[in-house]
Amino acid sequence: MRKLLLINLLAFAGFFAVSETAASLLQSQQGEPLALLRLVERLRLRAAPLQQFMDTCPVSTVWNPESPFHSDPLLGYWHRPNVSVSSTIRLRRPIKREGIVGKVDRYTWQLSTGAHGERLSQPHSAPELSQGRPTVLLLGDSFIFGSGLPDSLSFGWQLQASLPDRRIVNYAGGGFGTIHQVLLLRDARGQGRLIPASLAHALRGGDVLLGYADFYQLRNVAAPSRLRTFQPRCGALQPPAAEAKSFTHPRAILQHGDLQIGSVPLFQAHSGPDPSKAEQAAVTIALLDEALALVQELGARPTILWVRGNADSAPIQHLRRRGVPILDLRPPGKGLWTHDTLAPFDHHPGPLTANSWAREVAARLAKPPSWLHADD
């Protein structure tokens, strides 16, 4: 019996060592280790009671002085206007990373918002650009928003620095998908509560940059597997208990071929299977088509910022068939070091990635306004 117990312990220790090594390699080479870090964390706690693990956050976020998020009737949640806050991402255990002296367990970044909750792309004190200058509207998820990056290193801020004669406005948001882009563009064409009429008017002759990643498809249909990732205590939203019930997530469906958008509550139990891959793709394509139509109504030119995904994904193939300009910002293979992440604290793109994107987008926007430019 003792011999069998010893063999089992040695086998578990070996498996644990392999997991640690794999996590370390991914951390230094791919820069997106959170999934394996969580696996290693679970292995560490395997012998502990389940409740002990559930009472811990392998990665947690703390806002100071308060969370910048509040519930929103259109988007489900959005940023509070005119705030400047800092966020500290903390690991449950310190970790050693190549290039950092000693072990670290936390990282702090700062963000500021404007009058309508948009992320600032220049200081509040910066002079307004003169009338008639073309405006660039950024829409997308946390990659485009610049989660984990201070204002001055975010993609929007660096793009503004690369295009000083253009006005860059960043309406991207953490956890957003194509469905949020459609809702914001509908607002610009209608009520103008978040994107005011003055900004919508300034987009005529300007550009709308639409972020796209394959993982948007789960978000667009509010898949149960996606909704279960929202954690009110460990995640970035962290609403006050009194507000948690008012946080929602938009959901798009196709009813007899017609696109319909509703909403589902966040921070509740979400069970059941996800919609099929075919349904997710069909809904995403319908959302993209509406987004492009709304951009055209605004008198702007669209460009897809392709940040993640496979070349054979149905939405990307659809956009190509339509001749929509697609700027491939996905991490390159072997070659120059042009992309980084905030690992081990966060899987989001780092300042080098934001700078590379800003340079590529600035070069694309310098081209004549036309839908004739296919992907490079």
Side-chain angles (χ1 to χ4, degrees), residues 199-220:
L199 174 54
H201 179 75
L203 287 172
R204 186 161 295 279
D207 293 88
V208 176
L209 308 183
L210 304 162
Y212 177 77
D214 279 350
F215 53 74
Y216 284 14
Q217 297 184 53
L218 283 171
R219 301 176 180 186
N220 295 333

Side-chain angles (χ1 to χ4, degrees), residues 63-363:
W63 294 98
N64 184 39
E66 64 176 349
S67 169
F69 297 100
H70 65 158
S71 62
D72 183 84
L74 180 68
L75 302 172
Y77 58 88
W78 184 233
H79 316 115
R80 302 180 190 275
N82 296 319
V83 299
S84 182
V85 298
S86 66
S87 170
T88 298
I89 304 170
R90 184 167 184 171
L91 305 176
R92 186 167 178 268
R93 284 188 172 86
I95 193 167
K96 187 174 179 61
R97 176 183 175 182
E98 185 177 354
I100 297 178
V101 177
K103 291 186 176 182
V104 292
D105 68 350
R106 70 195 69 184
Y107 167 80
T108 298
W109 59 287
Q110 165 269 338
L111 75 91
S112 304
T113 63
H116 301 279
E118 74 282 11
R119 187 169 194 186
L120 293 186
S121 296
Q122 58 182 349
H124 266 300
S125 58
E128 284 290 332
L129 294 176
S130 61
Q131 294 295 323
R133 296 293 179 90
T135 295
V136 179
L137 174 63
L138 301 183
L139 298 176
D141 68 331
S142 55
F143 282 29
I144 305 298
F145 173 79
S147 290
L149 294 175
D151 291 336
S152 61
L153 295 180
S154 68
F155 166 54
W157 197 289
Q158 295 199 55
L159 183 59
Q160 181 69 80
S162 299
L163 296 170
D165 292 335
R166 309 283 298 269
R167 180 189 177 196
I168 311 298
V169 286
N170 190 346
Y171 273 79
F176 282 12
T178 312
I179 189 169
H180 297 83
Q181 300 175 23
V182 168
L183 291 172
L184 283 163
L185 290 168
R186 285 182 180 182
D187 180 71
R189 292 291 298 147
Q191 185 179 1
R193 181 175 59 86
L194 296 177
I195 297 183
S198 58
L199 174 54
H201 179 75
L203 287 172
R204 186 161 295 279
D207 293 88
V208 176
L209 308 183
L210 304 162
Y212 177 77
D214 279 350
F215 53 74
Y216 284 14
Q217 297 184 53
L218 283 171
R219 301 176 180 186
N220 295 333
V221 298
S225 65
R226 167 61 182 166
L227 298 176
R228 288 194 292 268
T229 65
F230 285 86
Q231 311 238 352
R233 192 168 64 84
C234 298
L237 292 182
Q238 296 182 348
E243 295 183 25
K245 291 184 178 181
S246 61
F247 277 63
T248 62
H249 193 292
R251 177 172 61 186
I253 62 172
L254 286 173
Q255 191 77 27
H256 304 297
D258 294 328
L259 181 66
Q260 298 182 8
I261 297 180
S263 64
V264 293
L266 282 180
F267 310 128
Q268 295 189 18
H270 295 282
S271 59
D274 291 348
S276 68
K277 296 288 187 182
E279 182 178 349
Q280 294 177 35
V283 168
T284 298
I285 288 171
L287 288 166
L288 285 166
D289 284 343
E290 179 171 342
L292 294 169
L294 289 167
V295 171
Q296 186 174 19
E297 290 179 25
L298 289 167
R301 64 170 175 171
T303 299
I304 302 296
L305 303 184
W306 187 15
V307 296
R308 287 289 188 277
N310 298 319
D312 60 353
S313 73
I316 288 295
Q317 295 291 348
H318 175 76
L319 292 168
R320 283 176 169 154
R321 286 192 294 270
R322 288 200 56 181
V324 182
I326 302 174
L327 187 54
D328 190 348
L329 300 179
R330 296 176 299 165
K334 296 179 180 179
L336 293 176
W337 183 31
T338 58
H339 289 63
D340 63 345
T341 72
L342 300 173
F345 304 99
D346 202 301
H347 70 286
H348 288 101
L352 181 60
T353 300
N355 181 262
S356 297
W357 287 358
R359 287 186 288 103
E360 291 186 56
V361 172

